[in-house]
Amino acid sequence: MSLLERIEACHRYSLKKFKPFLVAGERLGYVRHDLAVEFGKFPSVFLNSAEALQVKEHLAQFDSRTAAINTVAQELSARGIVTGWRNELFPVAPKFGAAPLFDVERALVPFLGVKAYGVHLNGYVRDGEQILLWVGKRADNRPIEPGKLDHLVAGGLPSHISPFDNLMKEAAEEASIPKELARRAEPAGALAYRMELNGHLRDDTLFVYDLELPRDFVPHNHDGEIASFELMPLHAVERILAETEAFKFNVGLVVIDFMIRMGHLTPERRDYCDLALALAGKQ
């Protein structure tokens, strides 16, 4: 798989398997047709029609929606339909910055196909003119992409926390980065993708941060999510991305963007414009 194909894989989906998920008349996600049937078995909460799966209109407030939808989530989890329970609430809103219409257990997010957000940190070291990137290896018990390569720090964005504060929390838990060092992380934009993964539609936006680390810094994991770390030259990271499936599916987007911004990938490449425009969602 080329670098361009790595990006394109994160934008590959078909809506034929899905129907809109509506709240208060607004489309917030897409639900697979067979799962919409399961949600429709809770008629006090959901209305499943030929056109869409809707939250019932009498659930008109944030608290009532949140309570009702998460009660259904618990029941579907008990039945083995919803998997990967996380005990973590994510906000659901039409767009980032808008008031959430409800909070939902993180495991239900892909089942409803609603927008979700996360933070990714490019933790890098300069060695003369060479740039090296810290790469983590995900633990084998992770519910998504176990054992795959990942960023030094990355995580979903729960309710009631800002992207930067969440980055600080994840930096401490995942890599033992001291707070005074982690605060030097610089925001470097956002990357969005919509793709079909494991039978669900993922509609995600990643907030990207860069952090130049001291050459003597060595990360240590605290939360059990990362099994090991390795400091890799960018040319080695590029080769792994282009030639293997070793990286978690969405990490390539952030790393390719980083390699462009750091000048590792330059306009002298024949595919440079294709890569840059694909990251921006353009052709």
Side-chain angles (χ1 to χ4, degrees):
M1 180 177 286
S2 68
L3 295 184
L4 183 59
E5 289 171 328
R6 185 70 59 198
I7 298 171
E8 291 173 340
C10 289
H11 297 280
R12 192 171 295 134
Y13 64 92
S14 170
L15 292 181
K16 292 181 180 179
K17 301 178 184 177
F18 303 90
K19 64 172 59 177
F21 169 59
L22 306 180
V23 179
E26 187 158 14
R27 186 196 63 76
L28 296 186
Y30 288 97
V31 183
R32 211 171 62 211
H33 290 294
D34 59 312
L35 291 173
V37 172
E38 297 298 330
F39 286 112
K41 294 177 181 178
F42 299 87
S44 64
V45 180
F46 294 101
L47 172 64
N48 182 33
S49 68
E51 293 77 26
L53 176 72
Q54 304 178 61
V55 174
K56 298 295 281 288
E57 291 184 0
H58 73 275
L59 299 170
Q61 303 298 322
F62 174 90
D63 289 342
S64 60
R65 285 195 198 104
T66 296
I69 292 172
N70 283 289
T71 296
V72 172
Q74 290 173 343
E75 178 61 31
L76 293 178
S77 176
R79 296 182 187 180
I81 296 171
V82 171
T83 57
W85 197 269
R86 307 290 282 274
N87 285 319
E88 186 175 26
L89 292 176
F90 271 27
V92 179
K95 63 179 181 178
F96 187 77
L101 298 183
F102 62 95
D103 280 351
V104 68
E105 154 63 33
R106 181 175 182 175
L108 200 65
V109 167
F111 287 79
L112 295 175
V114 294
K115 290 182 180 296
Y117 300 86
V119 294
H120 277 236
L121 177 70
N122 295 299
Y124 68 98
V125 174
R126 292 188 184 272
D127 183 9
E129 295 184 356
Q130 181 176 222
I131 293 177
L132 301 96
L133 188 70
W134 276 108
V135 174
K137 184 177 186 296
R138 296 168 66 80
D140 289 336
N141 63 355
R142 300 308 300 146
I144 298 175
E145 302 273 76
K148 291 292 186 78
L149 299 181
D150 205 338
H151 270 103
L152 175 66
V153 174
L157 185 63
S159 298
H160 310 300
I161 188 170
S162 71
F164 191 73
D165 286 344
N166 192 46
L167 183 72
M168 295 300 99
K169 177 180 73 70
E170 296 287 349
E173 294 174 354
E174 293 194 349
S176 304
I177 302 176
K179 187 171 292 186
E180 60 274 17
L181 178 56
R183 288 191 183 280
R184 300 178 190 172
E186 298 180 350
L191 295 167
Y193 62 90
R194 181 189 284 175
M195 66 183 295
E196 188 175 339
L197 183 72
N198 299 329
H200 304 295
L201 204 63
R202 293 187 62 115
D203 192 353
D204 296 346
T205 298
L206 306 178
F207 296 104
V208 179
Y209 293 85
D210 295 341
L211 177 60
E212 183 173 352
L213 293 161
R215 293 177 63 177
D216 60 354
F217 172 79
V218 179
H220 299 281
N221 182 253
H222 279 299
D223 60 10
E225 295 186 6
I226 301 295
S228 61
F229 295 98
E230 184 176 352
L231 188 59
M232 296 185 181
L234 282 186
H235 65 80
V237 176
E238 178 188 351
R239 181 189 59 78
I240 294 170
L241 274 174
E243 298 179 5
T244 77
E245 299 290 333
F247 272 96
K248 181 173 175 278
F249 67 93
N250 57 4
V251 174
L253 292 177
V254 183
V255 173
I256 294 168
D257 172 69
F258 178 74
M259 290 192 293
I260 289 175
R261 291 186 292 102
M262 291 292 114
H264 176 77
L265 303 178
T266 69
E268 282 63 46
R269 290 177 60 109
R270 186 175 299 177
D271 61 352
Y272 180 83
C273 281
D274 292 333
L275 292 171
L277 294 175
L279 285 171
K282 301 176 181 179
Q283 295 182 351

